[in-house]
């Protein structure tokens, strides 16, 4: 009698375990609701920079996020070795956006570069809300830079 009781209990445990595994599999297959999901946005910007020791830049762009377009403006300062002037058109992605307002903020960057007449520029930025922007694109002008930058992005 005790052996049959053990078999019944073992059988019930296997069935219960199987149901638990199926429930976990189904719950992980369900889509995340948009209100809690982090989405990526496409970013396109035009930036003009100039400087000698201390640099500055201004620009504008458009964030395409969840099917809507949000224009923004860019202002920034850089400190370090900076000499020259360039204009660039950058294209890329912003990630870790919970809501469109997270995109606006102060972004930090440490980097350097060299441009002589033309070339490719790239940037990797992160703001205080965890939004990361990675962009690259052509740039024209003359620049030598090794600096720390603070870039402010504000939605229009």
């Amino acid at each position: 009698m005790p052996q049959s009781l053990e078999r019944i209990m073992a059988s019930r445990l296997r069935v219960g375990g199987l149901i638990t595994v199926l429930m976990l599999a189904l719950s992980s297959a369900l889509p995340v609701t948009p209100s809690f999901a982090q989405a990526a946005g496409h970013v396109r910007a035009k930036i003009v920079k100039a400087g000698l020791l201390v640099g500055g830049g201004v620009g504008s762009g458009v964030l395409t996020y969840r099917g809507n377009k949000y224009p923004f403006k860019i202002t920034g300062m850089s400190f370090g070795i900076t000499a020259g002037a360039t204009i660039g058109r950058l294209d890329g992605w912003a990630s870790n956006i919970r809501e469109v307002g997270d995109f606006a903020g102060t972004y930090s960057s440490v980097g350097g570069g060299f441009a002589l007449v033309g070339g490719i520029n790239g940037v990797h930025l992160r703001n205080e809300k965890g939004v990361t922007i990675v962009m690259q694109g052509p740039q024209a002008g003359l620049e030598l830079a090794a600096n720390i930058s603070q870039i402010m992005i504000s939605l229009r």
Side-chain angles (χ1 to χ4, degrees):
M1 193 80 161
Q3 285 182 346
S4 66
L5 182 60
E6 285 177 12
R7 285 186 199 163
I8 292 170
M9 292 300 288
S11 173
R12 286 187 180 176
L13 284 174
R14 278 192 295 265
V15 170
L18 182 60
I19 290 172
T20 302
V21 168
L22 287 173
M23 294 292 283
L24 286 172
L26 285 174
S27 68
S28 65
L30 295 174
V32 177
T33 59
S35 61
F36 296 110
Q38 294 179 352
H42 181 257
V43 181
R44 182 166 286 166
K46 178 181 175 183
I47 300 171
V48 178
K49 301 185 299 182
L52 184 60
L53 297 180
V54 175
V58 295
S60 62
V62 174
L63 166 68
T64 303
Y65 178 69
R66 293 188 173 164
N68 296 311
K69 294 185 183 292
Y70 301 94
F72 61 89
K73 69 177 186 172
I74 303 166
T75 56
M77 295 285 295
S78 61
F79 303 98
I81 301 169
T82 301
T86 60
I87 183 169
R89 295 187 186 278
L90 302 172
D91 196 27
W93 296 95
S95 58
N96 298 326
I97 301 173
R98 292 184 187 274
E99 58 184 54
V100 74
D102 291 347
F103 182 73
T106 302
Y107 289 80
S108 299
S109 174
V110 175
F114 176 76
L116 179 62
V117 181
I120 298 292
N121 189 19
V123 65
H124 185 106
L125 305 167
R126 183 177 172 94
N127 76 3
E128 68 277 3
K129 297 171 193 156
V131 175
T132 302
I133 300 174
V134 178
M135 295 188 295
Q136 67 178 15
Q139 103 178 349
L142 174 64
E143 178 185 44
L144 171 62
N147 52 39
I148 298 170
S149 300
Q150 287 248 310
I151 295 128
M152 285 69 69
I153 294 180
S154 56
L155 294 169
R156 293 188 201 182

